[in-house]
Each structure stands twice: as structure tokens, then as C-alpha cells.
Amino acid sequence: MAATTAMCTSFKSELMQALHNFLLSGGNTFKIALIKSGMAGTYGAATTNYSNVTGNTDEASGTGYTAGGATLTRVDPTTSGTTAYTDFADASWTTATISAAAALIYNTTNGSRAVSVHDFGGTVSSTAGTFQITFPTPDASNAILRLA
């Protein structure tokens, strides 16, 4: 199947319900899970939960990667003009042998609710090295999560 980079529609509704707290101090815990190449499911705006990935056995696996992915370090939300945005510190798995085609950011504090899906545009691999997720510049035009 396929992955499409998108902010999950359920996440947008859940923001209005105050189910996601991105504050550095006292906020929710967010993780990033890797989705394997040759995935069976379809991931994008309609993805609602981390269980969508595990239910299809589409989470990547390999040396140095633990199911559930990596815990993300949040950066306090801010605004620029009429755009609100937030960011995370880059995530990495060291001494890892993994291949992935996409990733899912999700909120582990509130039932593993999906936040966003990110398609890598092809398979990205590491062999006994570092598999790194580098987040874009945190500004109103590029931040990984933006509301305009």
C-alpha cells in the first residue's frame, strides 16, 4: 500500500477537545514509530492511532529499533504571524540496522492517538549505523507541525 505525508484529520478534531498538550513542561509524551517498506496498510490523513500500524504489522523492525519507536523531545509551541507551530528534537537510533518508508508521530499519553504521517519518498536504511530523523527548521513555513 502507501503512506502520504499528512496531518491526521482525527488530530485536528482532538486539538479542539484538548487531547494533545505539546508544552515542554507538563505536556504529553509523543513518539515517532517507523513504518516498513512494502507496508500492507495505507497511512495518511485518515490514520487515527498507532494501532493502525501495528494492526497491519507494518511497523519497521531491526537491530537497534524497539517497537513503539523513539520518544520525542518537545519544543514549546509558538507563533509567527498567524501561524502556530511546534517542533521536536531530532530522533535517532544508533547502531541500527533498519529500513523504513515512513513514520508516524503519535501521542502515547492519550491512547496512542495519531498526530501525523511522514512519507520518506522511498526506503531509507541504516546498516549497523545511525538511523536519523531530522526535523525541518522550526518556523512558520517549515516546522513539522503547523497550523495556519
Side-chain angles (χ1 to χ4, degrees):
M1 295 304 215
T4 304
T5 298
M7 185 177 292
C8 299
T9 303
S10 59
F11 169 70
K12 295 173 191 177
S13 173
E14 291 162 2
L15 282 174
M16 301 294 186
Q17 301 168 50
L19 294 176
H20 299 277
N21 181 348
F22 288 92
L23 291 177
L24 185 57
S25 178
N28 297 153
T29 300
F30 294 87
K31 293 185 90 172
I32 187 164
L34 300 177
I35 300 170
K36 69 182 181 181
S37 302
M39 62 200 79
T42 300
Y43 305 99
T47 302
T48 60
N49 198 284
Y50 168 67
S51 64
N52 297 143
V53 176
T54 59
N56 287 323
T57 64
D58 280 340
E59 186 166 10
S61 63
T63 304
Y65 181 82
T66 303
T71 301
L72 294 170
T73 302
R74 297 176 310 283
V75 174
D76 278 335
T78 191
T79 61
S80 177
T82 59
T83 303
Y85 61 91
T86 194
D87 188 36
F88 301 101
D90 295 345
S92 62
W93 293 266
T94 57
T95 319
T97 300
I98 346 172
S99 292
L104 171 71
I105 295 175
Y106 66 102
N107 182 341
T108 63
T109 302
N110 286 316
S112 296
R113 298 170 191 271
V115 172
S116 57
V117 174
H118 303 274
D119 178 24
F120 297 158
T123 301
V124 178
S125 301
S126 65
T127 304
T130 300
F131 188 103
Q132 174 108 13
I133 302 287
T134 303
F135 289 104
T137 304
D139 61 31
S141 299
N142 300 296
I144 196 72
L145 293 176
R146 303 180 303 276
L147 296 173

